[in-house]
Amino acid sequence: MQTTNHLLQSLEQHDLDLLARDMRPMTFKAGEVLYEPGDEVEWIYFPEQGLISLLTVMLSGTAVETAVVGNEGGVGFLEVAGAGVTFSRALVQVDLLALRVSAAAYIAALDASASLRQFVTSHVELLLAEARQTLACQTHHSHEQRLAWWILECQDRTGGGPRLPLKQDFLANMLGIQRSAVSRVAGALKADGVIDYTRGEIQILDRERLERRSCECYATVAHHRALIETRRPALQRTT
């Protein structure tokens, strides 16, 4: 099957074939909710285009974004292999085209393939590394550095186009800062000709300079990802 999802592209062909026969393309508009906290995971989504936000919902009802998922990964494939429920809200942030597979079909494929199980384990390792890097980033790096990092990540995870339909609320939740701070920091990058920033959209004008304005975390996470990708074939040969 043809796919632009990097996670699916990384699978061994026989593992991809196990999933592909039960996969169907689905489209969702920005603002649609795929899962609420406590929902049983019935479907797994592998984005081809678009962006999904994972939000932790507090008792007050306030939602804080903890991760974004684009064509580098998926939603639900980790949870269904554990408790089978999700503890986050999965919200479509940018219009989504995703390949959807049922939890039952995914579990059957996982049970049938040691290499697929090894792949999922290595992806969990990468997600943990990204989460730890994000915690360190929040403590040590400026709002501008963090915004630059996440703009780069969003571009990578939505296919690489220079225009990103990212609303101010989304950026504020992603960075854990006030909307006024987003306007100030994005305005500084715009004034320097690095991005163009209008209501609901960011256009990257100079990616090289944006990378220089980002903190070390962008390069660090990219290194982690490359290291796992390099090591995965050797690990698969031992299973």
Side-chain angles (χ1 to χ4, degrees), residues 144-155 162 164 185-186 189-190 192-196 202-215 218:
E144 180 182 288
Q145 289 174 314
R146 293 168 56 210
L147 177 61
W149 175 25
W150 279 109
I151 292 173
L152 291 166
E153 289 286 355
C154 288
Q155 183 183 40
L164 302 169
V185 176
L189 292 173
K190 177 179 179 179
D192 289 343
V194 178
I195 65 171
D196 190 18
I202 287 178
Q203 180 180 4
I204 298 175
L205 302 178
D206 192 330
R207 182 179 169 101
E208 183 177 341
R209 288 177 62 202
L210 186 62
E211 289 185 19
R212 291 202 299 268
R213 298 286 279 268
S214 171
C215 52
Y218 179 70

PDB file of all heavy atoms in Angstrom, residues 144-155 162 164 185-186 189-190 192-196 202-215 218:
ATOM      1  N   GLU A 144      10.841  32.191  22.696  1.00  0.00           N
ATOM      2  CA  GLU A 144      11.153  32.256  21.270  1.00  0.00           C
ATOM      3  C   GLU A 144      11.798  30.964  20.791  1.00  0.00           C
ATOM      4  O   GLU A 144      11.444  30.434  19.728  1.00  0.00           O
ATOM      5  CB  GLU A 144      12.089  33.428  20.974  1.00  0.00           C
ATOM      6  CG  GLU A 144      12.438  33.520  19.495  1.00  0.00           C
ATOM      7  CD  GLU A 144      13.411  34.633  19.171  1.00  0.00           C
ATOM      8  OE1 GLU A 144      12.989  35.804  19.237  1.00  0.00           O
ATOM      9  OE2 GLU A 144      14.583  34.326  18.857  1.00  0.00           O
ATOM     10  N   GLN A 145      12.746  30.436  21.551  1.00  0.00           N
ATOM     11  CA  GLN A 145      13.402  29.192  21.164  1.00  0.00           C
ATOM     12  C   GLN A 145      12.400  28.048  21.079  1.00  0.00           C
ATOM     13  O   GLN A 145      12.424  27.252  20.132  1.00  0.00           O
ATOM     14  CB  GLN A 145      14.500  28.846  22.174  1.00  0.00           C
ATOM     15  CG  GLN A 145      15.715  29.752  22.126  1.00  0.00           C
ATOM     16  CD  GLN A 145      16.689  29.449  23.257  1.00  0.00           C
ATOM     17  OE1 GLN A 145      16.293  29.294  24.410  1.00  0.00           O
ATOM     18  NE2 GLN A 145      17.964  29.345  22.920  1.00  0.00           N
ATOM     19  N   ARG A 146      11.501  27.978  22.046  1.00  0.00           N
ATOM     20  CA  ARG A 146      10.517  26.893  22.077  1.00  0.00           C
ATOM     21  C   ARG A 146       9.507  27.029  20.949  1.00  0.00           C
ATOM     22  O   ARG A 146       9.099  26.033  20.335  1.00  0.00           O
ATOM     23  CB  ARG A 146       9.821  26.868  23.433  1.00  0.00           C
ATOM     24  CG  ARG A 146      10.761  26.480  24.577  1.00  0.00           C
ATOM     25  CD  ARG A 146      10.132  26.745  25.931  1.00  0.00           C
ATOM     26  NE  ARG A 146       8.845  26.057  26.045  1.00  0.00           N
ATOM     27  CZ  ARG A 146       7.836  26.507  26.775  1.00  0.00           C
ATOM     28  NH1 ARG A 146       7.931  27.653  27.439  1.00  0.00           N
ATOM     29  NH2 ARG A 146       6.718  25.822  26.844  1.00  0.00           N
ATOM     30  N   LEU A 147       9.087  28.272  20.657  1.00  0.00           N
ATOM     31  CA  LEU A 147       8.161  28.478  19.549  1.00  0.00           C
ATOM     32  C   LEU A 147       8.815  28.065  18.232  1.00  0.00           C
ATOM     33  O   LEU A 147       8.184  27.395  17.405  1.00  0.00           O
ATOM     34  CB  LEU A 147       7.726  29.939  19.478  1.00  0.00           C
ATOM     35  CG  LEU A 147       6.791  30.297  18.304  1.00  0.00           C
ATOM     36  CD1 LEU A 147       5.490  29.504  18.385  1.00  0.00           C
ATOM     37  CD2 LEU A 147       6.499  31.796  18.279  1.00  0.00           C
ATOM     38  N   ALA A 148      10.067  28.444  18.029  1.00  0.00           N
ATOM     39  CA  ALA A 148      10.779  28.061  16.811  1.00  0.00           C
ATOM     40  C   ALA A 148      10.856  26.545  16.682  1.00  0.00           C
ATOM     41  O   ALA A 148      10.645  25.984  15.585  1.00  0.00           O
ATOM     42  CB  ALA A 148      12.182  28.668  16.808  1.00  0.00           C
ATOM     43  N   TRP A 149      11.156  25.865  17.811  1.00  0.00           N
ATOM     44  CA  TRP A 149      11.229  24.405  17.775  1.00  0.00           C
ATOM     45  C   TRP A 149       9.905  23.796  17.329  1.00  0.00           C
ATOM     46  O   TRP A 149       9.857  22.957  16.422  1.00  0.00           O
ATOM     47  CB  TRP A 149      11.623  23.874  19.168  1.00  0.00           C
ATOM     48  CG  TRP A 149      11.615  22.369  19.282  1.00  0.00           C
ATOM     49  CD1 TRP A 149      11.769  21.471  18.263  1.00  0.00           C
ATOM     50  CD2 TRP A 149      11.421  21.592  20.475  1.00  0.00           C
ATOM     51  NE1 TRP A 149      11.689  20.176  18.752  1.00  0.00           N
ATOM     52  CE2 TRP A 149      11.475  20.222  20.089  1.00  0.00           C
ATOM     53  CE3 TRP A 149      11.216  21.928  21.817  1.00  0.00           C
ATOM     54  CZ2 TRP A 149      11.327  19.195  21.012  1.00  0.00           C
ATOM     55  CZ3 TRP A 149      11.071  20.887  22.732  1.00  0.00           C
ATOM     56  CH2 TRP A 149      11.126  19.550  22.340  1.00  0.00           C
ATOM     57  N   TRP A 150       8.789  24.264  17.932  1.00  0.00           N
ATOM     58  CA  TRP A 150       7.515  23.636  17.625  1.00  0.00           C
ATOM     59  C   TRP A 150       6.984  24.003  16.250  1.00  0.00           C
ATOM     60  O   TRP A 150       6.271  23.226  15.626  1.00  0.00           O
ATOM     61  CB  TRP A 150       6.499  23.942  18.724  1.00  0.00           C
ATOM     62  CG  TRP A 150       6.713  23.032  19.881  1.00  0.00           C
ATOM     63  CD1 TRP A 150       7.208  23.350  21.113  1.00  0.00           C
ATOM     64  CD2 TRP A 150       6.496  21.621  19.917  1.00  0.00           C
ATOM     65  NE1 TRP A 150       7.310  22.235  21.906  1.00  0.00           N
ATOM     66  CE2 TRP A 150       6.870  21.150  21.195  1.00  0.00           C
ATOM     67  CE3 TRP A 150       6.018  20.690  18.994  1.00  0.00           C
ATOM     68  CZ2 TRP A 150       6.788  19.811  21.567  1.00  0.00           C
ATOM     69  CZ3 TRP A 150       5.920  19.354  19.366  1.00  0.00           C
ATOM     70  CH2 TRP A 150       6.306  18.931  20.637  1.00  0.00           C
ATOM     71  N   ILE A 151       7.334  25.165  15.734  1.00  0.00           N
ATOM     72  CA  ILE A 151       6.971  25.476  14.347  1.00  0.00           C
ATOM     73  C   ILE A 151       7.675  24.508  13.405  1.00  0.00           C
ATOM     74  O   ILE A 151       7.087  23.971  12.459  1.00  0.00           O
ATOM     75  CB  ILE A 151       7.316  26.936  13.999  1.00  0.00           C
ATOM     76  CG1 ILE A 151       6.415  27.896  14.772  1.00  0.00           C
ATOM     77  CG2 ILE A 151       7.157  27.178  12.496  1.00  0.00           C
ATOM     78  CD1 ILE A 151       6.795  29.360  14.610  1.00  0.00           C
ATOM     79  N   LEU A 152       8.962  24.252  13.673  1.00  0.00           N
ATOM     80  CA  LEU A 152       9.714  23.301  12.860  1.00  0.00           C
ATOM     81  C   LEU A 152       9.116  21.900  12.958  1.00  0.00           C
ATOM     82  O   LEU A 152       8.972  21.198  11.949  1.00  0.00           O
ATOM     83  CB  LEU A 152      11.177  23.273  13.312  1.00  0.00           C
ATOM     84  CG  LEU A 152      11.999  24.527  13.021  1.00  0.00           C
ATOM     85  CD1 LEU A 152      13.308  24.509  13.813  1.00  0.00           C
ATOM     86  CD2 LEU A 152      12.279  24.656  11.520  1.00  0.00           C
ATOM     87  N   GLU A 153       8.750  21.488  14.180  1.00  0.00           N
ATOM     88  CA  GLU A 153       8.164  20.165  14.366  1.00  0.00           C
ATOM     89  C   GLU A 153       6.832  20.053  13.620  1.00  0.00           C
ATOM     90  O   GLU A 153       6.545  19.035  12.972  1.00  0.00           O
ATOM     91  CB  GLU A 153       7.949  19.880  15.859  1.00  0.00           C
ATOM     92  CG  GLU A 153       9.220  19.636  16.645  1.00  0.00           C
ATOM     93  CD  GLU A 153       9.837  18.270  16.378  1.00  0.00           C
ATOM     94  OE1 GLU A 153       9.232  17.459  15.641  1.00  0.00           O
ATOM     95  OE2 GLU A 153      10.941  18.019  16.890  1.00  0.00           O
ATOM     96  N   CYS A 154       6.021  21.112  13.696  1.00  0.00           N
ATOM     97  CA  CYS A 154       4.733  21.077  13.014  1.00  0.00           C
ATOM     98  C   CYS A 154       4.916  21.001  11.503  1.00  0.00           C
ATOM     99  O   CYS A 154       4.173  20.284  10.818  1.00  0.00           O
ATOM    100  CB  CYS A 154       3.896  22.300  13.389  1.00  0.00           C
ATOM    101  SG  CYS A 154       3.265  22.256  15.090  1.00  0.00           S
ATOM    102  N   GLN A 155       5.896  21.725  10.978  1.00  0.00           N
ATOM    103  CA  GLN A 155       6.153  21.648   9.543  1.00  0.00           C
ATOM    104  C   GLN A 155       6.569  20.235   9.151  1.00  0.00           C
ATOM    105  O   GLN A 155       6.075  19.671   8.169  1.00  0.00           O
ATOM    106  CB  GLN A 155       7.239  22.639   9.129  1.00  0.00           C
ATOM    107  CG  GLN A 155       7.469  22.635   7.609  1.00  0.00           C
ATOM    108  CD  GLN A 155       8.587  23.544   7.181  1.00  0.00           C
ATOM    109  OE1 GLN A 155       9.615  23.627   7.846  1.00  0.00           O
ATOM    110  NE2 GLN A 155       8.412  24.222   6.058  1.00  0.00           N
ATOM    111  N   PRO A 162       5.422  25.157   3.616  1.00  0.00           N
ATOM    112  CA  PRO A 162       5.810  26.356   4.359  1.00  0.00           C
ATOM    113  C   PRO A 162       4.658  27.041   5.083  1.00  0.00           C
ATOM    114  O   PRO A 162       4.879  27.841   5.991  1.00  0.00           O
ATOM    115  CB  PRO A 162       6.377  27.275   3.275  1.00  0.00           C
ATOM    116  CG  PRO A 162       5.664  26.859   2.024  1.00  0.00           C
ATOM    117  CD  PRO A 162       5.462  25.369   2.152  1.00  0.00           C
ATOM    118  N   LEU A 164       1.437  26.948   7.549  1.00  0.00           N
ATOM    119  CA  LEU A 164       0.887  26.126   8.625  1.00  0.00           C
ATOM    120  C   LEU A 164      -0.329  26.820   9.228  1.00  0.00           C
ATOM    121  O   LEU A 164      -0.208  27.922   9.772  1.00  0.00           O
ATOM    122  CB  LEU A 164       1.947  25.915   9.718  1.00  0.00           C
ATOM    123  CG  LEU A 164       3.257  25.254   9.268  1.00  0.00           C
ATOM    124  CD1 LEU A 164       4.297  25.351  10.375  1.00  0.00           C
ATOM    125  CD2 LEU A 164       3.017  23.811   8.885  1.00  0.00           C
ATOM    126  N   VAL A 185       6.176  37.001  20.825  1.00  0.00           N
ATOM    127  CA  VAL A 185       7.299  36.191  20.345  1.00  0.00           C
ATOM    128  C   VAL A 185       7.203  35.963  18.840  1.00  0.00           C
ATOM    129  O   VAL A 185       8.193  36.114  18.113  1.00  0.00           O
ATOM    130  CB  VAL A 185       7.336  34.843  21.087  1.00  0.00           C
ATOM    131  CG1 VAL A 185       8.434  33.956  20.524  1.00  0.00           C
ATOM    132  CG2 VAL A 185       7.554  35.053  22.576  1.00  0.00           C
ATOM    133  N   ALA A 186       5.998  35.614  18.351  1.00  0.00           N
ATOM    134  CA  ALA A 186       5.824  35.426  16.914  1.00  0.00           C
ATOM    135  C   ALA A 186       6.047  36.736  16.166  1.00  0.00           C
ATOM    136  O   ALA A 186       6.601  36.744  15.056  1.00  0.00           O
ATOM    137  CB  ALA A 186       4.435  34.874  16.625  1.00  0.00           C
ATOM    138  N   LEU A 189       9.769  37.217  15.552  1.00  0.00           N
ATOM    139  CA  LEU A 189      10.252  36.398  14.434  1.00  0.00           C
ATOM    140  C   LEU A 189       9.779  36.970  13.094  1.00  0.00           C
ATOM    141  O   LEU A 189      10.503  36.938  12.099  1.00  0.00           O
ATOM    142  CB  LEU A 189       9.762  34.957  14.592  1.00  0.00           C
ATOM    143  CG  LEU A 189      10.361  34.154  15.755  1.00  0.00           C
ATOM    144  CD1 LEU A 189       9.647  32.809  15.898  1.00  0.00           C
ATOM    145  CD2 LEU A 189      11.863  33.934  15.565  1.00  0.00           C
ATOM    146  N   LYS A 190       8.559  37.513  13.082  1.00  0.00           N
ATOM    147  CA  LYS A 190       8.037  38.124  11.862  1.00  0.00           C
ATOM    148  C   LYS A 190       8.824  39.384  11.516  1.00  0.00           C
ATOM    149  O   LYS A 190       9.176  39.608  10.345  1.00  0.00           O
ATOM    150  CB  LYS A 190       6.558  38.456  12.045  1.00  0.00           C
ATOM    151  CG  LYS A 190       5.928  39.154  10.852  1.00  0.00           C
ATOM    152  CD  LYS A 190       4.448  39.432  11.088  1.00  0.00           C
ATOM    153  CE  LYS A 190       3.815  40.149   9.893  1.00  0.00           C
ATOM    154  NZ  LYS A 190       2.363  40.398  10.108  1.00  0.00           N
ATOM    155  N   ASP A 192      11.818  40.022  12.076  1.00  0.00           N
ATOM    156  CA  ASP A 192      13.153  39.673  11.584  1.00  0.00           C
ATOM    157  C   ASP A 192      13.106  38.930  10.258  1.00  0.00           C
ATOM    158  O   ASP A 192      14.150  38.501   9.748  1.00  0.00           O
ATOM    159  CB  ASP A 192      13.886  38.809  12.616  1.00  0.00           C
ATOM    160  CG  ASP A 192      14.282  39.603  13.853  1.00  0.00           C
ATOM    161  OD1 ASP A 192      14.287  40.849  13.770  1.00  0.00           O
ATOM    162  OD2 ASP A 192      14.587  38.985  14.888  1.00  0.00           O
ATOM    163  N   GLY A 193      11.918  38.746   9.698  1.00  0.00           N
ATOM    164  CA  GLY A 193      11.802  38.113   8.389  1.00  0.00           C
ATOM    165  C   GLY A 193      11.956  36.603   8.408  1.00  0.00           C
ATOM    166  O   GLY A 193      12.175  35.988   7.354  1.00  0.00           O
ATOM    167  N   VAL A 194      11.823  35.987   9.582  1.00  0.00           N
ATOM    168  CA  VAL A 194      11.970  34.536   9.686  1.00  0.00           C
ATOM    169  C   VAL A 194      10.652  33.836   9.340  1.00  0.00           C
ATOM    170  O   VAL A 194      10.638  32.800   8.677  1.00  0.00           O
ATOM    171  CB  VAL A 194      12.425  34.145  11.110  1.00  0.00           C
ATOM    172  CG1 VAL A 194      12.545  32.622  11.240  1.00  0.00           C
ATOM    173  CG2 VAL A 194      13.745  34.812  11.449  1.00  0.00           C
ATOM    174  N   ILE A 195       9.543  34.400   9.804  1.00  0.00           N
ATOM    175  CA  ILE A 195       8.210  33.870   9.498  1.00  0.00           C
ATOM    176  C   ILE A 195       7.295  35.028   9.132  1.00  0.00           C
ATOM    177  O   ILE A 195       7.614  36.193   9.389  1.00  0.00           O
ATOM    178  CB  ILE A 195       7.595  33.103  10.701  1.00  0.00           C
ATOM    179  CG1 ILE A 195       7.342  34.070  11.879  1.00  0.00           C
ATOM    180  CG2 ILE A 195       8.486  31.937  11.122  1.00  0.00           C
ATOM    181  CD1 ILE A 195       6.531  33.455  13.022  1.00  0.00           C
ATOM    182  N   ASP A 196       6.177  34.682   8.541  1.00  0.00           N
ATOM    183  CA  ASP A 196       5.067  35.621   8.412  1.00  0.00           C
ATOM    184  C   ASP A 196       3.959  35.081   9.307  1.00  0.00           C
ATOM    185  O   ASP A 196       3.716  33.870   9.332  1.00  0.00           O
ATOM    186  CB  ASP A 196       4.587  35.721   6.962  1.00  0.00           C
ATOM    187  CG  ASP A 196       3.605  36.861   6.769  1.00  0.00           C
ATOM    188  OD1 ASP A 196       3.550  37.761   7.641  1.00  0.00           O
ATOM    189  OD2 ASP A 196       2.876  36.850   5.762  1.00  0.00           O
ATOM    190  N   ILE A 202       0.772  30.559   9.999  1.00  0.00           N
ATOM    191  CA  ILE A 202       2.192  30.885  10.022  1.00  0.00           C
ATOM    192  C   ILE A 202       2.812  30.425   8.713  1.00  0.00           C
ATOM    193  O   ILE A 202       2.565  29.296   8.278  1.00  0.00           O
ATOM    194  CB  ILE A 202       2.911  30.224  11.209  1.00  0.00           C
ATOM    195  CG1 ILE A 202       2.531  30.919  12.518  1.00  0.00           C
ATOM    196  CG2 ILE A 202       4.428  30.240  11.036  1.00  0.00           C
ATOM    197  CD1 ILE A 202       3.146  30.316  13.752  1.00  0.00           C
ATOM    198  N   GLN A 203       3.582  31.291   8.090  1.00  0.00           N
ATOM    199  CA  GLN A 203       4.332  30.912   6.903  1.00  0.00           C
ATOM    200  C   GLN A 203       5.818  31.007   7.222  1.00  0.00           C
ATOM    201  O   GLN A 203       6.302  32.048   7.669  1.00  0.00           O
ATOM    202  CB  GLN A 203       4.001  31.813   5.714  1.00  0.00           C
ATOM    203  CG  GLN A 203       4.776  31.429   4.445  1.00  0.00           C
ATOM    204  CD  GLN A 203       4.455  32.324   3.262  1.00  0.00           C
ATOM    205  OE1 GLN A 203       3.706  33.284   3.406  1.00  0.00           O
ATOM    206  NE2 GLN A 203       5.023  32.022   2.117  1.00  0.00           N
ATOM    207  N   ILE A 204       6.538  29.932   7.001  1.00  0.00           N
ATOM    208  CA  ILE A 204       7.988  29.923   7.235  1.00  0.00           C
ATOM    209  C   ILE A 204       8.669  30.544   6.032  1.00  0.00           C
ATOM    210  O   ILE A 204       8.557  30.058   4.899  1.00  0.00           O
ATOM    211  CB  ILE A 204       8.492  28.489   7.474  1.00  0.00           C
ATOM    212  CG1 ILE A 204       7.830  27.899   8.729  1.00  0.00           C
ATOM    213  CG2 ILE A 204      10.016  28.472   7.620  1.00  0.00           C
ATOM    214  CD1 ILE A 204       8.170  26.447   8.983  1.00  0.00           C
ATOM    215  N   LEU A 205       9.368  31.637   6.260  1.00  0.00           N
ATOM    216  CA  LEU A 205      10.052  32.355   5.181  1.00  0.00           C
ATOM    217  C   LEU A 205      11.511  31.943   5.060  1.00  0.00           C
ATOM    218  O   LEU A 205      12.068  31.957   3.963  1.00  0.00           O
ATOM    219  CB  LEU A 205       9.966  33.869   5.427  1.00  0.00           C
ATOM    220  CG  LEU A 205       8.562  34.455   5.537  1.00  0.00           C
ATOM    221  CD1 LEU A 205       8.636  35.944   5.840  1.00  0.00           C
ATOM    222  CD2 LEU A 205       7.766  34.210   4.263  1.00  0.00           C
ATOM    223  N   ASP A 206      12.134  31.593   6.167  1.00  0.00           N
ATOM    224  CA  ASP A 206      13.558  31.242   6.169  1.00  0.00           C
ATOM    225  C   ASP A 206      13.772  30.115   7.182  1.00  0.00           C
ATOM    226  O   ASP A 206      14.007  30.366   8.354  1.00  0.00           O
ATOM    227  CB  ASP A 206      14.400  32.474   6.531  1.00  0.00           C
ATOM    228  CG  ASP A 206      15.887  32.268   6.273  1.00  0.00           C
ATOM    229  OD1 ASP A 206      16.358  31.124   6.372  1.00  0.00           O
ATOM    230  OD2 ASP A 206      16.587  33.268   5.997  1.00  0.00           O
ATOM    231  N   ARG A 207      13.687  28.882   6.710  1.00  0.00           N
ATOM    232  CA  ARG A 207      13.796  27.742   7.624  1.00  0.00           C
ATOM    233  C   ARG A 207      15.185  27.655   8.265  1.00  0.00           C
ATOM    234  O   ARG A 207      15.307  27.312   9.446  1.00  0.00           O
ATOM    235  CB  ARG A 207      13.479  26.440   6.897  1.00  0.00           C
ATOM    236  CG  ARG A 207      13.543  25.243   7.846  1.00  0.00           C
ATOM    237  CD  ARG A 207      13.219  23.923   7.192  1.00  0.00           C
ATOM    238  NE  ARG A 207      13.571  22.852   8.100  1.00  0.00           N
ATOM    239  CZ  ARG A 207      12.707  22.185   8.860  1.00  0.00           C
ATOM    240  NH1 ARG A 207      11.430  22.486   8.834  1.00  0.00           N
ATOM    241  NH2 ARG A 207      13.124  21.211   9.641  1.00  0.00           N
ATOM    242  N   GLU A 208      16.228  27.966   7.512  1.00  0.00           N
ATOM    243  CA  GLU A 208      17.579  27.881   8.063  1.00  0.00           C
ATOM    244  C   GLU A 208      17.738  28.809   9.266  1.00  0.00           C
ATOM    245  O   GLU A 208      18.282  28.420  10.311  1.00  0.00           O
ATOM    246  CB  GLU A 208      18.615  28.225   6.996  1.00  0.00           C
ATOM    247  CG  GLU A 208      20.051  28.086   7.479  1.00  0.00           C
ATOM    248  CD  GLU A 208      21.063  28.364   6.384  1.00  0.00           C
ATOM    249  OE1 GLU A 208      20.684  28.313   5.197  1.00  0.00           O
ATOM    250  OE2 GLU A 208      22.232  28.632   6.720  1.00  0.00           O
ATOM    251  N   ARG A 209      17.237  30.035   9.129  1.00  0.00           N
ATOM    252  CA  ARG A 209      17.321  30.971  10.251  1.00  0.00           C
ATOM    253  C   ARG A 209      16.398  30.545  11.391  1.00  0.00           C
ATOM    254  O   ARG A 209      16.710  30.748  12.563  1.00  0.00           O
ATOM    255  CB  ARG A 209      16.972  32.380   9.783  1.00  0.00           C
ATOM    256  CG  ARG A 209      18.057  33.008   8.901  1.00  0.00           C
ATOM    257  CD  ARG A 209      17.619  34.355   8.412  1.00  0.00           C
ATOM    258  NE  ARG A 209      17.409  35.287   9.521  1.00  0.00           N
ATOM    259  CZ  ARG A 209      16.636  36.372   9.449  1.00  0.00           C
ATOM    260  NH1 ARG A 209      15.967  36.620   8.334  1.00  0.00           N
ATOM    261  NH2 ARG A 209      16.510  37.160  10.482  1.00  0.00           N
ATOM    262  N   LEU A 210      15.249  29.945  11.059  1.00  0.00           N
ATOM    263  CA  LEU A 210      14.337  29.463  12.100  1.00  0.00           C
ATOM    264  C   LEU A 210      15.012  28.363  12.914  1.00  0.00           C
ATOM    265  O   LEU A 210      14.872  28.314  14.140  1.00  0.00           O
ATOM    266  CB  LEU A 210      13.046  28.945  11.471  1.00  0.00           C
ATOM    267  CG  LEU A 210      11.932  28.538  12.450  1.00  0.00           C
ATOM    268  CD1 LEU A 210      11.479  29.728  13.292  1.00  0.00           C
ATOM    269  CD2 LEU A 210      10.747  27.925  11.693  1.00  0.00           C
ATOM    270  N   GLU A 211      15.760  27.486  12.264  1.00  0.00           N
ATOM    271  CA  GLU A 211      16.489  26.448  12.980  1.00  0.00           C
ATOM    272  C   GLU A 211      17.536  27.058  13.905  1.00  0.00           C
ATOM    273  O   GLU A 211      17.745  26.570  15.024  1.00  0.00           O
ATOM    274  CB  GLU A 211      17.139  25.478  11.995  1.00  0.00           C
ATOM    275  CG  GLU A 211      16.145  24.588  11.270  1.00  0.00           C
ATOM    276  CD  GLU A 211      16.816  23.546  10.395  1.00  0.00           C
ATOM    277  OE1 GLU A 211      18.022  23.265  10.612  1.00  0.00           O
ATOM    278  OE2 GLU A 211      16.144  22.999   9.497  1.00  0.00           O
ATOM    279  N   ARG A 212      18.156  28.130  13.453  1.00  0.00           N
ATOM    280  CA  ARG A 212      19.163  28.790  14.312  1.00  0.00           C
ATOM    281  C   ARG A 212      18.502  29.468  15.505  1.00  0.00           C
ATOM    282  O   ARG A 212      19.111  29.574  16.575  1.00  0.00           O
ATOM    283  CB  ARG A 212      19.972  29.807  13.499  1.00  0.00           C
ATOM    284  CG  ARG A 212      20.907  29.180  12.460  1.00  0.00           C
ATOM    285  CD  ARG A 212      22.031  30.123  12.071  1.00  0.00           C
ATOM    286  NE  ARG A 212      21.546  31.351  11.474  1.00  0.00           N
ATOM    287  CZ  ARG A 212      21.378  31.536  10.162  1.00  0.00           C
ATOM    288  NH1 ARG A 212      21.643  30.541   9.316  1.00  0.00           N
ATOM    289  NH2 ARG A 212      20.937  32.690   9.694  1.00  0.00           N
ATOM    290  N   ARG A 213      17.264  29.926  15.337  1.00  0.00           N
ATOM    291  CA  ARG A 213      16.569  30.581  16.444  1.00  0.00           C
ATOM    292  C   ARG A 213      15.970  29.564  17.416  1.00  0.00           C
ATOM    293  O   ARG A 213      15.596  29.911  18.540  1.00  0.00           O
ATOM    294  CB  ARG A 213      15.454  31.490  15.898  1.00  0.00           C
ATOM    295  CG  ARG A 213      15.957  32.617  15.000  1.00  0.00           C
ATOM    296  CD  ARG A 213      16.644  33.722  15.779  1.00  0.00           C
ATOM    297  NE  ARG A 213      15.696  34.633  16.377  1.00  0.00           N
ATOM    298  CZ  ARG A 213      15.248  35.748  15.802  1.00  0.00           C
ATOM    299  NH1 ARG A 213      15.667  36.080  14.587  1.00  0.00           N
ATOM    300  NH2 ARG A 213      14.401  36.544  16.422  1.00  0.00           N
ATOM    301  N   SER A 214      15.860  28.319  16.980  1.00  0.00           N
ATOM    302  CA  SER A 214      15.338  27.268  17.840  1.00  0.00           C
ATOM    303  C   SER A 214      16.384  26.880  18.888  1.00  0.00           C
ATOM    304  O   SER A 214      17.584  27.132  18.732  1.00  0.00           O
ATOM    305  CB  SER A 214      14.981  26.042  16.995  1.00  0.00           C
ATOM    306  OG  SER A 214      14.661  24.940  17.809  1.00  0.00           O
ATOM    307  N   CYS A 215      15.907  26.245  19.955  1.00  0.00           N
ATOM    308  CA  CYS A 215      16.819  25.697  20.957  1.00  0.00           C
ATOM    309  C   CYS A 215      17.429  24.401  20.432  1.00  0.00           C
ATOM    310  O   CYS A 215      17.089  23.911  19.356  1.00  0.00           O
ATOM    311  CB  CYS A 215      16.072  25.440  22.263  1.00  0.00           C
ATOM    312  SG  CYS A 215      14.578  24.452  22.066  1.00  0.00           S
ATOM    313  N   TYR A 218      15.376  20.737  19.061  1.00  0.00           N
ATOM    314  CA  TYR A 218      14.988  20.259  17.737  1.00  0.00           C
ATOM    315  C   TYR A 218      16.021  19.287  17.200  1.00  0.00           C
ATOM    316  O   TYR A 218      15.691  18.179  16.751  1.00  0.00           O
ATOM    317  CB  TYR A 218      14.789  21.432  16.776  1.00  0.00           C
ATOM    318  CG  TYR A 218      14.412  20.993  15.379  1.00  0.00           C
ATOM    319  CD1 TYR A 218      13.170  20.433  15.125  1.00  0.00           C
ATOM    320  CD2 TYR A 218      15.309  21.127  14.332  1.00  0.00           C
ATOM    321  CE1 TYR A 218      12.820  20.016  13.847  1.00  0.00           C
ATOM    322  CE2 TYR A 218      14.972  20.710  13.049  1.00  0.00           C
ATOM    323  CZ  TYR A 218      13.726  20.152  12.807  1.00  0.00           C
ATOM    324  OH  TYR A 218      13.393  19.732  11.535  1.00  0.00           O
TER     325      TYR A 218
END
